[in-house]
Every structure is written in structure tokens, then in C-alpha cells.
Amino acid sequence: MTTDPDRRKFIQAIATLAMTGGMLLPAVVTATPSEAKAKIKEITNAARLNKGRVKITVPVVADHGGRVDVTVTADSPMTEADHVKAIHVISDNNPFPEVVTFSLGPDAGKAEISFYMRMAKTQNVYAVVEMSDGSFHIDKGTSTVTIGGCD
Amino acid sequence: MSKPRLRIPKTVKKDEIFPVKAMVHHPMHNGRRKDKITGRIIPRFIINKFICEYNGRRVFVADLYTSMSENPYFSFYLKGKESGAITFTWTDDNGESITASHTITVQ
């Protein structure tokens, strides 16, 4: 009989699982909504947060939290005088609130960015946009996560 | 790390706003996952910086954290100012970088 390496790995995994008492999956410790709010306050230096001029799009239901499509669009002419300087993406139910920070300018032509993020649980994701005049704009998206994607 | 994948037009008109799509293969270990065989925690190992330069001008920068998915992908826009090179740099937690370059013609 030949030994199938996959079979061997499988048996090893079972043995490890038995030894560790099945405690391979620790509970996800996540940032809280208040930590997310504190992070936003830190980024904006407690400046006023305006609504509008920014839109974050996330799926209503994310089947798999490991790869969730996010799009952030800011309404800006992207000229030397008036452009988006930075976009901060903040999550309120992942291990850490920061997801990604983008720095851009008039060379971008238009402020529209897409990427994929992980979601541990059902959560709100905030897009905080910093304009060249120093003003801040915020929008929130909510996704219901079926299978968490941070562990 | 393997070869990055880029999708950018070869030729654009002057002042045309064109899409840029860039992806690199990377596990983006968030420092929380356990090795399925050994049960040990895999240390954090992510791409933490992505820089896009257009003829030497820094036009788009991303600071990444552990919440980003593996094989980080970005889609964004640039404005066609002049012909030249658009270069991309991804830097990981060990300070190692991977680069890619694209030649664009502005008519």
C-alpha cells in the first residue's frame, strides 16, 4: 500500500486537534465600535465630519468575510485647488480598526478606489475623506457577514 | 512573492482619465491564523505599503493593515499627462520590495 501524503497530513491534523483539545480556533477579539470612533477622531483631530461628497459601497451580505469588495468614491473635481488628499477606511468589528489609508491628489483624475478587505463579523465600514481644504467627509457601509474571514 | 499583475491601457489621449488595476500575490498573514498542521500561530507578515509613481511623481499611495485580503488588489484612476513610465512598489513587513513598471503613451 502506498502512503498518500495528503492522507498523512490529514491524520497529523486530526492528532494535533486531539492534543490541543480542539482549541485551534480562538474566539475573534475585535475592535469595538467605540475604538473605531476613537480612531476616526484621531485621524480627523476631532474636526467636524460632513456627510455627502463621499460614498462607500460594500455588499449587503458578504458570503465569505475573507474577500469583500469595497469601493469608495468621493465627489471632487480633483484639481490643484480642490482635490481629495486622503481616504481612510475604518472597520468597527475587526481585530484592528484601520483597514487601509490612501494618499492621492490631482494626478488621480477622479477619486474612485476599489479593493478587497477581510471582515471578521457583521460590521460597519467607514470611509473618511480628507479634502485639500482640510475638511473631512464621512460615509458608512454595513455588511452582514456569513462566514468570518479574519482567522 | 511572485510577479505582480497590472491592467492599464497602453495608449491614452491627453488628459484622459484611465483605470489602473494592480494586484500582487501575497498571503497577508494577519498574525492571528494558526498553522493547520503544527497549531502554531503564523507571525504577522503583510504588504504594508503600496506606491504608484508616474514619471517619478508619487501619484497614489496605500498604507495597508491586517484587515486587507490576501493578494492585495487596487483599482484606481490616473490622468494621462505625458508619455512615460508608471511604476509600482509593494513593500512587506521585512522591508523587502517587489516592483513592476508599465509604459504608457499619451497622444
Side-chain angles (χ1 to χ4, degrees):
Chain A
M1 197 185 102
T2 55
T3 313
D4 175 3
D6 279 348
R7 182 177 159 269
R8 191 182 288 170
K9 265 188 201 162
F10 178 67
I11 291 168
Q12 256 175 5
I14 296 277
T16 317
L17 194 75
M19 277 190 292
T20 54
M23 293 299 283
L24 279 174
L25 295 168
V28 182
V29 181
T30 60
T32 58
S34 62
E35 276 180 55
K37 292 243 158 67
K39 185 48 87 180
I40 292 169
K41 209 166 176 180
E42 186 192 317
I43 291 164
T44 60
N45 210 356
R48 204 188 113 115
L49 288 164
N50 303 288
K51 296 255 164 71
R53 288 194 75 183
V54 52
K55 191 172 186 302
I56 183 164
T57 311
V58 290
V60 176
V61 177
D63 291 334
H64 179 50
R67 202 165 172 80
V68 185
D69 189 1
V70 184
T71 300
V72 179
T73 314
D75 175 20
S76 166
M78 295 304 274
T79 56
E80 278 298 333
D82 183 4
H83 58 262
V84 171
K85 262 172 73 181
I87 300 175
H88 306 265
V89 181
I90 305 291
S91 135
D92 77 350
N93 224 341
N94 267 3
F96 298 100
E98 301 105 324
V99 178
V100 62
T101 296
F102 300 105
S103 311
L104 58 166
D107 286 299
K110 78 172 166 177
E112 184 182 325
I113 304 168
S114 297
F115 61 95
Y116 293 99
M117 71 174 281
R118 292 172 170 144
M119 288 190 185
K121 295 175 179 180
T122 293
Q123 60 181 277
N124 296 315
V125 185
Y126 299 90
V128 179
V129 170
E130 185 181 353
M131 298 290 181
S132 53
D133 64 0
S135 68
F136 287 93
H137 300 258
I138 192 166
D139 191 30
K140 177 178 89 172
T142 307
S143 273
T144 301
V145 176
T146 319
I147 301 169
C150 273
D151 276 284
Chain B
M1 288 195 272
S2 65
K3 201 169 175 278
R5 279 157 65 175
L6 305 173
R7 184 167 290 178
I8 311 159
K10 284 196 174 83
T11 311
V12 294
K13 292 192 186 81
K14 174 88 179 143
D15 288 333
E16 183 183 332
I17 294 164
F18 59 92
V20 176
K21 289 171 184 176
M23 192 266 259
V24 69
H25 290 278
H26 195 277
M28 297 290 279
H29 290 306
N30 58 13
R32 301 174 52 75
R33 198 169 293 168
K34 284 191 177 180
D35 188 306
K36 279 181 185 141
I37 306 295
T38 64
R40 288 206 192 104
I41 286 181
I42 306 167
R44 177 189 137 140
F45 179 54
I46 65 166
I47 300 271
N48 58 44
K49 196 118 191 157
F50 167 73
I51 298 169
C52 172
E53 287 177 319
Y54 185 174
N55 284 338
R57 294 190 306 278
R58 207 168 265 214
V59 289
F60 185 90
V61 177
D63 288 283
L64 295 79
Y65 298 89
T66 52
S67 285
M68 292 298 279
S69 295
E70 63 184 297
N71 304 335
Y73 161 89
F74 294 113
S75 151
F76 54 97
Y77 291 85
L78 290 178
K79 197 173 190 174
K81 288 206 168 160
E82 70 278 311
S83 299
I86 302 175
T87 58
F88 301 85
T89 311
W90 290 262
T91 308
D92 68 20
D93 283 342
N94 295 344
E96 282 174 32
S97 300
I98 184 161
T99 56
S101 184
H102 177 85
T103 307
I104 192 154
T105 308
V106 176
Q107 290 173 334

